[in-house]
Amino acid sequence: WPSLLFDLYPPPPQAKRMRALVAVKRVVDYAVKIRVKGDKSGVETAGVKMSMNPFCEIAVEEAVRLKEKKVVEEIVAVSIGPKQSADTLRTALAMGADRAVHINHDGILQPLAVAKLLKAVVDKESPDVVFVGKQAIDDDANQTGQMLAGLLGWPQGTFCSKLEIADKKATVEREVDGGIETVSMGLPAVITADLRLNDPRYATLPNIMKAKK
C-alpha cells in the first residue's frame, strides 16, 4: 500500500539548476595611462598592469548573484589569451566562479575568432546562459556576444542593465537611445553586461589565495 501511494502520487520533480558560462578578458587596467609603442605598431603592454575587463567583472558578478539566489548551480569562467590570462581566471574564481577554462593563445584575436572559440566551449559545457561583457575596453568592438549568439542560434539580450531569470526565461532591460527596452527570451541565451547591471564585488585576499591553489 505505501508503494501504491508512491506510484499514484510521485514526488514533484526537482527543478534543474542551471549552469552559467562567463567569458572574461585580460586587458590593460582601466586606471593605467595608455602609451603607444615607439614603432607605432600598437599599445605598450610590457610592464603594464593588466586586469579583468570591467564589463567582464560585471558579467561574473551577475552570474554569482544568480548562484546566490539558487538560480544557477555552477559557474564556469573561460578566458582566451596568453598564459597570464590564468590570473584573470583566478580573479573570477575568487569572485565566486566554480571552474575555469583557459584557451592559451598568444597574439591578437578578432571578435569572430573569439566567438568561434567560445562556441566550442559552449558545445562542450552545455550552459543554460552565457554572460559576456558588452565590450572590452581595449578594442571597444562590442561584437563578440552578438556573434556568439548568431553562431549558436540562441537569442541574445545585449546591453543588459537589469536581468531576471525564471521559468526557463530571461527578462532583460536594455539601454537604448530612447530609454529602456524590455525583452523576454527563452533559455539558453547570451547576455551581454552593461555598466549599470551591478557593482562587482572585490575579490577578497583569502579567496584569491584559494584560487591560486
Side-chain angles (χ1 to χ4, degrees):
W1 178 251
S3 63
L4 178 60
L5 280 175
F6 181 80
D7 292 336
L8 289 174
Y9 304 102
Q14 295 294 316
K16 176 182 178 291
R17 300 247 286 277
M18 299 192 306
R19 174 179 294 164
L21 184 78
V22 187
V24 296
K25 185 177 183 181
R26 177 177 181 266
V27 299
V28 175
D29 188 86
Y30 72 92
V32 170
K33 185 177 181 181
I34 298 298
R35 293 181 292 111
V36 178
K37 291 181 179 179
D39 60 4
K40 312 297 182 184
S41 62
V43 173
E44 183 61 67
T45 57
V48 174
K49 180 183 178 183
M50 308 292 282
S51 61
M52 187 188 299
N53 176 50
F55 291 102
C56 297
E57 285 185 333
I58 295 170
V60 173
E61 175 66 26
E62 193 65 18
V64 173
R65 292 188 184 191
L66 288 172
K67 183 180 176 183
E68 291 171 344
K69 294 176 182 176
K70 309 298 184 184
V71 176
V72 165
E73 184 174 24
E74 184 183 38
I75 301 170
V76 181
V78 57
S79 189
I80 304 165
K83 63 180 181 180
Q84 294 89 342
S85 295
D87 294 333
T88 306
L89 288 171
R90 290 190 186 99
T91 300
L93 291 169
M95 290 177 67
D98 299 290
R99 292 192 290 119
V101 176
H102 181 202
I103 300 176
N104 192 27
H105 175 81
D106 293 310
I108 297 174
L109 281 174
Q110 296 301 320
L112 180 58
V114 174
K116 288 180 177 179
L117 288 170
L118 289 177
K119 180 183 182 298
V121 178
V122 169
D123 289 341
K124 183 175 180 179
E125 293 289 344
S126 300
D128 300 277
V129 60
V130 176
F131 289 99
V132 300
K134 74 166 185 177
Q135 64 196 75
I137 61 172
D138 53 1
D139 58 17
D140 279 330
N142 180 25
Q143 295 174 355
T144 302
Q146 292 89 328
M147 288 179 171
L148 175 60
L151 291 170
L152 291 168
W154 289 7
Q156 55 186 287
T158 56
F159 312 113
C160 178
S161 59
K162 185 177 180 181
L163 174 67
E164 296 289 340
I165 293 181
D167 301 324
K168 297 184 179 180
K169 288 185 178 180
T171 301
V172 174
E173 289 188 6
R174 56 191 306 269
E175 299 185 1
V176 295
D177 290 340
I180 301 295
E181 178 185 40
T182 301
V183 295
S184 182
M185 64 203 70
L187 298 179
V190 176
I191 307 295
T192 74
D194 207 345
L195 185 64
R196 276 162 285 280
L197 180 57
N198 59 56
D199 293 317
R201 70 194 66 194
Y202 289 103
T204 63
L205 182 58
N207 287 340
I208 291 173
M209 297 307 294
K210 287 179 184 178
K212 286 184 177 180
K213 296 179 181 180

